[in-house]
Amino acid sequence: MAAGWAYCLLLILVLVLGAAGDENRPKTGKKKKDIRDYNDADMARLLEEWEKDDDIEEGDLPEHKRTSPPIDFSKVDASNPESLLKLTKKGKTLMIFVTVSGNPTEKDTEEITSLWQGGLYNANYDVQRFVVGSDRAIFMLRDGSYAWEIKDFLINQDRCADVTVEGQAYPGKGAGKKKNKIKPDKKKAAAASQKDNRANRKEL
């Protein structure tokens, strides 16, 4: 009989302690959503939470979220606007547009600009190259402050017609080489052919 009472008391004690533990637990509100049911808004919220918790290094942030380095205006040469542009583009991605002279095919442009990229790589300039036409290519650099040094290298190449940096076009060494230039002997042949055609018409 005593054993039965002891058993009942023990059962009551367990129930009371369990109820008290449930009251102390934080209430979760609504049921946790299955990750397979997440929509775009849920994923965006989850990404924001991760970014808050993680200490992301400055270099790993997207470019628009990085803090710009302070500009030391004492180093700016007022007579040279390029010096200011170099400082403002430091650490920022910049694209340089290049035109190959002559009348190249896309394959020619690929080969020529590949040689230029190799020369820049040997001079420790890390640039990416994209051919965007039969005579046009883009050189993309992660640090825009080097753009004007790269421009100086490119305009001194024999097949470079022009280089455009930040909307400013610079003529290259190959700027004088016009497209589809007809040689003098071909011009004479074309003129002779026209004379022959005229003579034939008169005979008819």
Side-chain angles (χ1 to χ4, degrees), residues 73-84:
F73 286 99
S74 62
K75 294 179 181 178
V76 177
D77 181 4
S79 62
N80 182 10
E82 282 182 11
S83 63
L84 178 62

Side-chain angles (χ1 to χ4, degrees), residues 27-38 42 45-46 49-50:
K27 292 179 182 177
T28 54
K30 56 183 178 179
K31 191 179 176 184
K32 195 173 181 182
K33 199 172 184 179
D34 193 318
I35 196 160
R36 290 171 293 186
D37 299 328
Y38 274 29
D42 295 325
R45 195 163 44 249
L46 187 63
E49 287 174 16
W50 283 345

Side-chain angles (χ1 to χ4, degrees), residues 26-174:
K27 292 179 182 177
T28 54
K30 56 183 178 179
K31 191 179 176 184
K32 195 173 181 182
K33 199 172 184 179
D34 193 318
I35 196 160
R36 290 171 293 186
D37 299 328
Y38 274 29
N39 57 25
D40 291 342
D42 295 325
M43 294 303 286
R45 195 163 44 249
L46 187 63
L47 184 62
E48 281 177 17
E49 287 174 16
W50 283 345
E51 285 178 353
K52 281 178 189 173
D53 295 339
D54 291 343
D55 292 329
I56 301 172
E57 291 182 16
E58 183 78 16
D60 294 333
L61 286 169
E63 190 172 301
H64 66 278
K65 288 191 176 181
R66 292 179 206 159
T67 53
S68 298
I71 298 170
D72 185 1
F73 286 99
S74 62
K75 294 179 181 178
V76 177
D77 181 4
S79 62
N80 182 10
E82 282 182 11
S83 63
L84 178 62
L85 284 168
K86 281 182 187 179
L87 290 172
T88 56
K89 297 299 173 186
K90 187 167 179 63
K92 294 183 179 178
T93 303
L94 191 139
M95 289 189 287
I96 298 173
F97 296 86
V98 185
T99 306
V100 178
S101 66
N103 193 18
T105 62
E106 197 162 323
K107 187 180 178 185
D108 294 334
T109 299
E110 178 74 41
E111 289 172 1
I112 292 163
T113 55
S114 176
L115 289 171
W116 296 347
Q117 184 184 23
L120 289 165
Y121 181 79
N122 290 336
N124 293 321
Y125 292 108
D126 183 20
V127 294
Q128 288 179 291
R129 176 181 53 90
F130 307 96
V131 174
V132 292
S134 61
D135 64 346
R136 293 278 281 172
I138 294 171
F139 284 83
M140 190 172 81
L141 22 156
R142 292 191 178 278
D143 189 344
S145 63
Y146 295 114
W148 287 267
E149 293 169 31
I150 291 169
K151 177 266 295 179
D152 291 338
F153 168 81
L154 291 170
I155 60 174
N156 284 305
Q157 304 307 306
D158 289 334
R159 291 294 304 275
C160 178
D162 63 67
V163 176
T164 305
V165 183
E166 289 292 283
Q168 177 70 46
Y170 302 89
K173 202 173 180 181

